[in-house]
């Protein structure tokens, strides 16, 4: 009988390697010592992936004399597929599938998703000899036909983790967070995370200034050198217009992760400052404005965010929909009640999001509709109103209530766990990144 290669992935701690990478993306303009486009420090973890393939290296005598097996089938799961339809399509024995599914550890096979693939090795009689399913980058399922029947094993691979520090600044050439982030070496995903972190404190579309600087401490995960899409910001500092904002990741005793400032206040507010990703503010809050269509003084009790038609409009805070209807002036509009004191209104929507109707509860950031130009509107925009105790307030300047801080009884633990992050933000170097790593 043929021996099947068994791969053992072993993680072996090795000597630490420290890289300090100076990323100067435009060397021609960097003859002086100034950091024009960003700096990246990388700390490689003291972990090395070692793959020992055992029998695979030494083919047995049997194996060498056996006729070769049919080529391996790689089956890609399409929408609507399940294992039965896949087996039928490839003329694989339904009985083998039943036997595989009855093995211990086979539950995961119920979760195959479109786009994933399953590898199948048949034997010369057409039976399933081995089935391999990569459930996610960290988890692989392997069912094998042994003399005793099928056996299923789950292989877990611990990703390698690397702590990186990125430093960047807003310049004339890189005037947006996106471009400054790219220049500093951040991925699109990390730039989004950074923007989300500070969305309550900084409007990245309106408030950025030349000279703003940021530092981001990131845990990056990879397997065999391939990123697995789990890069996570551990800490960030953003100095905007001279004011330094800090975000520290902390997982509380209920295992809920959150981002807090250095004294344990949540960065998250009960309300988003801007409920839509917009290109610019086309009309500000102004109680003595001349109306663009009616040419007479009409207060503008909200703010107009110009954005592309179809851009998702998000609930500014958790609450209950009290209106989702249409009239001549407002077009399609939504009103949300947040507790006793706060109400928000969203006008001129092209349409409502699915299931948005009066009585429905929504969470913060949930999409409630899409930007449009219904009602009295000269172009696609969101008209947004924020009312406190029934009085219209300027959504861009009103003081927003905070979310819950770190509980008092956890402050000690919070200070202890975030101390290395603060040190790394203060001065990102091999030593401080190593402290973050070893925490
Ligand atoms: Zn308006």
């Amino acid at each position: 009988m043929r021996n099947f290669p068994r791969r053992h992935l072993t993680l072996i701690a090795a000597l630490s390697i420290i890289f300090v990478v100076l990323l100067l993306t435009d060397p021609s303009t960097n003859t002086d010592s100034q950091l024009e486009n960003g700096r990246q420090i990388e700390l490689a973890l003291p972990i090395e992936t070692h793959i020992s393939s055992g029998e695979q290296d030494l083919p047995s005598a049997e194996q060498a004399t056996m006729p070769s097996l049919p080529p391996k089938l790689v089956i890609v799961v399409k929408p609507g597929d399940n294992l039965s339809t896949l087996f039928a399509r490839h003329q694989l024995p339904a009985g083998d599938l039943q036997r595989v599914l009855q093995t211990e550890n086979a539950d995961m096979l119920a979760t195959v998703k479109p786009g994933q693939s399953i590898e199948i090795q048949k034997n010369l009689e057409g039976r399933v000899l081995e089935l391999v399913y990569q459930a996610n980058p960290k988890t692989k399922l392997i069912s094998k036909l042994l003399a005793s029947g099928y056996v299923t094993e789950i292989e877990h691979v611990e990703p390698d983790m690397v702590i990186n520090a990125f430093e960047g600044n807003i310049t004339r050439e890189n005037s947006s967070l996106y471009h400054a982030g790219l220049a500093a070496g951040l991925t699109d995903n990390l730039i989004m995370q950074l923007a989300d972190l500070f969305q309550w404190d900084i409007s990245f579309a309106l408030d950025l200034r030349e000279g703003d600087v940021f530092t981001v401490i990131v845990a990056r995960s990879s397997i065999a050198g391939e990123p697995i899409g789990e890069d996570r910001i551990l800490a960030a500092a953003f100095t905007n217009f001279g004011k330094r904002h800090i975000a520290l990741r902390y997982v509380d005793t209920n295992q809920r992760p959150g981002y807090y400032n250095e004294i344990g206040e949540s960065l998250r507010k009960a309300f988003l400052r801007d409920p839509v990703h917009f290109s610019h503010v086309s009309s500000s809050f102004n109680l003595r404005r001349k109306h663009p269509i009616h040419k007479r003084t009409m207060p503008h009790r909200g703010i107009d965010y110009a954005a592309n038609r179809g851009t998702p409009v998000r609930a500014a805070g958790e609450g209950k929909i009290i209106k989702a209807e249409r009239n001549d002036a407002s077009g399609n509009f939504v009103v949300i009640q947040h507790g006793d004191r706060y109400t928000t209104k969203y006008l001129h929507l092209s349409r409502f999001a699915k299931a948005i109707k009066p009585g429905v509860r929504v969470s913060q950031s949930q999409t409630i509709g899409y930007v449009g130009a219904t009602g009295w509107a000269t172009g696609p925009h969101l008209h947004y109103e924020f009312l406190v105790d029934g009085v219209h307030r300027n959504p861009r300047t009103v003081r927003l209530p905070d979310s819950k801080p770190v509980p008092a009884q956890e402050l000690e633990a919070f200070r202890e766990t975030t101390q290395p992050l603060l040190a790394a933000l203060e001065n990102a170097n091999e030593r401080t990144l190593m402290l973050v790593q070893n925490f």
Side-chain angles (χ1 to χ4, degrees), residues 283 289 300 302-304 348 381 383:
S283 180
R289 177 185 72 149
H300 191 234
I303 180 165
D304 290 347
H348 311 307
H381 73 283
H383 171 103

Side-chain angles (χ1 to χ4, degrees), residues 282-284 289 291 300-305 347-348 376 381-385:
S282 49
S283 180
S284 307
R289 177 185 72 149
H291 193 277
H300 191 234
R301 287 192 245 261
I303 180 165
D304 290 347
Y305 294 103
L347 277 53
H348 311 307
W376 297 345
H381 73 283
L382 172 72
H383 171 103
Y384 173 56
E385 296 181 12

Side-chain angles (χ1 to χ4, degrees), residues 117-133:
S117 59
I118 294 169
E119 285 179 26
I120 289 183
Q121 179 63 66
K122 290 192 284 188
N123 67 11
L124 292 168
E125 292 86 55
R127 291 202 60 192
V128 174
L129 212 47
E130 186 178 65
L131 178 153
V132 177
Y133 166 52

Side-chain angles (χ1 to χ4, degrees), residues 108-370:
M108 208 178 274
L109 282 170
T111 66
V112 293
K113 287 184 264 308
Q116 292 185 317
S117 59
I118 294 169
E119 285 179 26
I120 289 183
Q121 179 63 66
K122 290 192 284 188
N123 67 11
L124 292 168
E125 292 86 55
R127 291 202 60 192
V128 174
L129 212 47
E130 186 178 65
L131 178 153
V132 177
Y133 166 52
Q134 187 84 48
N136 59 54
K138 288 186 277 192
T139 315
K140 187 192 265 186
L141 174 148
I142 304 161
S143 292
K144 287 177 196 162
L145 178 59
L146 305 177
S148 56
Y150 284 101
V151 172
T152 300
E153 287 175 355
I154 308 288
E155 243 180 40
H156 284 288
V157 182
E158 271 308 305
D160 297 329
M161 204 198 277
V162 177
I163 304 294
N164 281 191
F166 299 91
E167 294 181 348
N169 45 19
I170 304 296
T171 61
R172 198 172 320 143
E173 307 84 72
N174 295 313
S175 58
S176 71
L177 177 68
Y178 183 69
H179 290 103
L182 287 184
L186 293 169
T187 59
D188 287 15
N189 176 285
L190 287 168
I191 295 168
M192 290 294 288
Q193 285 187 40
L194 183 62
D196 278 352
L197 271 188
F198 291 115
Q199 64 180 313
W200 288 275
D201 299 303
I202 304 168
S203 171
F204 287 105
L206 300 178
D207 298 343
L208 292 189
R209 298 286 187 282
E210 238 179 284
D212 284 358
V213 293
F214 56 90
T215 302
V216 189
I217 310 293
V218 177
R220 318 191 75 177
S221 300
S222 62
I223 290 174
E226 288 292 312
I228 57 167
E230 290 185 2
D231 292 356
R232 172 179 290 159
I233 293 180
L234 298 181
F238 202 110
T239 303
N240 173 231
F241 214 38
K243 185 171 176 358
R244 192 160 187 254
H245 303 268
I246 300 253
L248 304 167
R249 188 171 191 274
Y250 173 69
V251 181
D252 68 16
T253 49
N254 295 317
Q255 299 307 312
R256 269 194 308 256
Y259 288 93
Y260 302 88
N261 67 12
E262 59 271 50
I263 56 167
E265 292 168 341
S266 178
L267 292 192
R268 177 176 280 274
K269 297 280 189 287
F271 292 94
L272 301 176
R273 184 64 78 184
D274 307 307
V276 68
H277 289 293
F278 59 98
S279 58
H280 60 280
V281 168
S282 49
S283 180
S284 307
F285 186 82
N286 181 354
L287 298 176
R288 284 185 296 275
R289 177 185 72 149
K290 209 162 220 163
H291 193 277
I293 292 180
H294 301 280
K295 306 290 181 208
R296 58 186 170 91
T297 301
M298 284 176 79
H300 191 234
R301 287 192 245 261
I303 180 165
D304 290 347
Y305 294 103
N308 291 331
R309 191 184 303 271
T311 304
V313 173
R314 305 177 296 166
E318 187 188 338
K320 192 167 89 182
I321 306 279
I322 53 172
K323 278 183 186 171
E325 56 195 62
R326 186 183 181 110
N327 69 27
D328 287 349
S330 306
N332 295 319
F333 70 103
V334 170
V335 179
I336 304 178
Q337 182 73 49
H338 314 269
D340 292 336
R341 301 190 57 202
Y342 298 93
T343 309
T344 54
K345 300 185 181 180
Y346 313 77
L347 277 53
H348 311 307
L349 305 175
S350 58
R351 62 189 174 92
F352 304 120
K354 217 175 135 193
I356 293 301
K357 53 175 188 272
V360 167
R361 291 207 67 85
V362 290
S363 52
Q364 187 175 55
S365 296
Q366 184 177 332
T367 299
I368 52 168
Y370 301 89

